[in-house]
Amino acid sequence: MTKKERELRAQLQEMKKAADKLIEDGKTEEARSKMDEMKGVRSQIELLVEARSFEMPSVKGENYVPELERKDPDPKDEKRSDEKYQEEYRRVFLIGLRGQKLSSDDRSILESTENRAMSGDTGEDGGLIVPQDISTQINELKRQWNPLEQYVRVENVATRSGSRVFEANSDLTPFEVLEEMGQTPEIQNPKFSSLNYAIKDYGGILPLPNSFKADTDQNIMAYIARWFAKKSVVTRNSLILALANTLAKKDLKDVNAIKTVLNVGLDPAIKINSIFITNQDGFNFLDSLMDGNGRPLLQPDPTSATNQLLFGKQVVVISNRFLQTTGTTTKKAPLIIGDLNETITLFDRQQQSIASTDVGAGAFETNSTKVRGIEREDVRIFDNEAAVFGQLTITTGTGA
């Protein structure tokens, strides 16, 4: 779709709104005049659509027409055109989200190849693809919900399955001494490992009362964005924590055991970027520890007013609901120690979609609109030696 065609479609939509308003106000003659103008614009659009089926000569022959030679677009004009098109797409997106009927022009915008996405299975995924500006808002909100994906390696992918090749963590040996005029020995080859992924779809349905249709576009956008952000963070955090839980467990009886994991259990290169991840119980226990001079072991992070440091490493706190303490009499709180960027890889297909209905899935019976949100990702272990899943003993039962 050319810039000119986009502008004409936007112009036609504005003219239609004006015509509808004239009809409602009973201004028949003015409405008819506006409709005649719309016919002229529609004819231009139809001509542009038809022109797309013809190929222009690639060389300057005898039939060359200078006026038809393609000129490089002005980047500023292209940006303004894209912004206008995004506004139009968002408007159509909200019409579809409300369950209202789309006009043929609206549907052409919605089904534009620049905004549609294929699911990877057979056929289209059938949803309303989240507009670019809403996706940006969702990602901004996600950062407010303490997402663990900021600590792991994130690989953006465009296919539902595949693999990535990474250099494997292996023991390196030093070069050998060379004798003068002697044979130079072959050295150890670098070792690589392949990490396979298979994208899965994760989603849910949000029931909304039909009164939301009367809300402003901004209210609807903000609500959907908040819901998407929270669900996305909880989903990805759960996947990351479930994978971390598969690491070998190590009992941590006291502070010295924590130091030993950090200083000896991890490679010095891994220790540099290591962090602590624990739950509320674990943080409460760490917050009660004192050094030999009666000073708290947990110290405030000078670079962040909300972060705490243990031995100079950031402590990330997850709710007990998602990262649970185990045991009944002897309770053990999780304390993950290491560099999650080297431990876990999240494969992100970066496709968020929304579909809505006010008649199916029980929406008609409850006078509601149901919105389905879907996102796509996979999480895999990359290096299981880059982190330790510690179990911090916080209370000891009788006889333990």
Side-chain angles (χ1 to χ4, degrees):
M1 185 183 298
T2 64
K3 178 169 73 70
K4 180 62 175 178
E5 186 178 340
R6 291 177 186 171
E7 292 174 349
L8 288 173
R9 288 182 181 275
Q11 181 183 348
L12 182 62
Q13 189 61 41
E14 294 299 320
M15 294 172 71
K16 184 178 184 305
K17 290 180 181 178
D20 291 342
K21 182 68 167 58
L22 291 170
I23 294 173
E24 291 176 1
D25 295 342
K27 300 178 180 179
T28 307
E29 292 302 322
E30 295 180 31
R32 189 175 300 280
S33 176
K34 182 65 68 176
M35 294 291 287
D36 290 337
E37 294 179 28
M38 291 171 60
K39 290 178 182 178
V41 175
R42 177 183 283 277
S43 296
Q44 293 183 60
I45 295 174
E46 291 173 350
L47 284 173
L48 288 172
V49 172
E50 184 178 356
R52 287 208 303 262
S53 63
F54 294 91
E55 291 185 1
M56 293 302 300
S58 59
V59 296
K60 297 180 180 180
E62 59 181 6
N63 295 324
Y64 169 69
V65 181
E67 290 79 10
L68 295 179
E69 183 177 24
R70 179 176 178 178
K71 297 180 180 179
D72 292 334
D74 186 333
K76 294 182 180 178
D77 290 340
E78 285 292 319
K79 181 178 180 181
R80 284 192 292 267
S81 177
D82 288 342
E83 290 175 351
K84 182 65 176 178
Y85 189 69
Q86 278 295 323
E87 291 177 5
E88 280 298 296
Y89 182 74
R90 181 172 64 173
R91 179 188 60 77
V92 175
F93 173 86
L94 287 166
I95 292 175
L97 191 62
R98 286 185 167 98
Q100 298 172 352
K101 185 177 180 180
L102 297 175
S103 68
S104 58
D105 290 333
D106 290 341
R107 186 155 296 282
S108 67
I109 294 174
L110 184 64
E111 295 179 349
S112 168
T113 55
E114 295 181 13
N115 286 284
R116 292 296 297 166
M118 302 302 290
S119 69
D121 294 325
T122 57
E124 296 180 347
D125 61 11
L128 298 169
I129 304 303
V130 179
Q132 180 180 340
D133 55 347
I134 308 179
S135 294
T136 301
Q137 184 181 2
I138 290 171
N139 289 326
E140 289 174 349
L141 287 169
K142 283 169 63 175
R143 289 196 288 270
Q144 301 175 13
W145 291 89
N146 198 19
L148 292 179
E149 68 180 275
Q150 64 183 305
Y151 304 112
V152 305
R153 184 197 307 266
V154 177
E155 286 284 327
N156 297 322
V157 297
T159 57
R160 290 189 68 87
S161 61
S163 64
R164 289 290 186 274
V165 177
F166 300 102
E167 183 180 358
N169 183 23
S170 59
D171 294 330
L172 295 179
T173 57
F175 285 115
E176 296 182 18
V177 176
L178 299 180
E179 300 293 338
E180 187 174 358
M181 302 297 291
Q183 184 78 21
T184 302
E186 293 185 358
I187 62 175
Q188 180 186 26
N189 292 328
K191 289 184 171 59
F192 298 91
S193 60
S194 178
L195 192 61
N196 298 320
Y197 69 87
I199 299 296
K200 299 179 181 65
D201 294 353
Y202 298 89
I205 292 178
L206 172 66
L208 295 172
N210 275 342
S211 58
F212 96 104
K213 293 182 178 181
D215 290 344
T216 65
D217 291 351
Q218 291 76 13
N219 288 343
I220 296 173
M221 289 294 197
Y223 191 89
I224 296 297
R226 288 196 303 270
W227 179 76
F228 239 104
K230 289 186 288 187
K231 295 293 286 187
S232 178
V233 169
V234 170
T235 300
R236 294 189 172 194
N237 281 4
S238 297
L239 292 173
I240 291 169
L241 292 174
L243 204 58
N245 195 47
T246 64
L247 297 171
K249 305 299 189 296
K250 185 174 182 61
D251 284 334
L252 304 174
K253 300 293 185 183
D254 49 32
V255 174
N256 288 332
I258 300 175
K259 287 184 178 179
T260 300
V261 169
L262 197 61
N263 296 333
V264 182
L266 299 175
D267 187 278
I270 297 296
K271 177 184 175 182
I272 294 174
N273 296 314
S274 289
I275 61 174
F276 297 98
I277 296 180
T278 188
N279 63 4
Q280 294 166 275
D281 290 336
F283 180 80
N284 184 59
F285 179 81
L286 295 174
D287 198 30
S288 66
L289 298 178
M290 303 286 179
D291 64 13
N293 297 317
R295 296 172 300 190
L297 283 181
L298 283 183
Q299 294 294 315
D301 185 349
T303 65
S304 173
T306 58
N307 290 343
Q308 297 286 318
L309 303 178
L310 177 63
F311 309 133
K313 304 298 181 183
Q314 182 181 355
V315 179
V316 178
V317 184
I318 304 297
S319 170
N320 283 351
R321 290 182 297 164
F322 305 116
L323 188 57
Q324 298 176 351
T325 298
T326 60
T328 52
T329 53
T330 300
K331 293 188 176 182
K332 297 182 178 181
L335 183 64
I336 303 170
I337 310 171
D339 184 356
L340 290 193
N341 187 266
E342 295 295 325
T343 309
I344 294 174
T345 298
L346 185 149
F347 294 96
D348 184 3
R349 201 176 172 203
Q350 292 188 320
Q351 283 187 317
Q352 297 170 325
S353 63
I354 291 177
S356 67
T357 180
D358 59 357
V359 293
F364 182 80
E365 293 83 350
T366 56
N367 188 33
S368 63
T369 295
K370 294 197 173 182
V371 183
R372 185 193 67 200
I374 294 177
E375 65 178 46
R376 301 166 175 90
E377 58 251 354
D378 188 23
V379 181
R380 298 297 173 106
I381 288 285
F382 169 58
D383 182 358
N384 59 12
E385 296 181 359
V388 172
F389 195 107
Q391 294 182 305
L392 187 64
T393 302
I394 57 176
T395 58
T396 302
T398 305

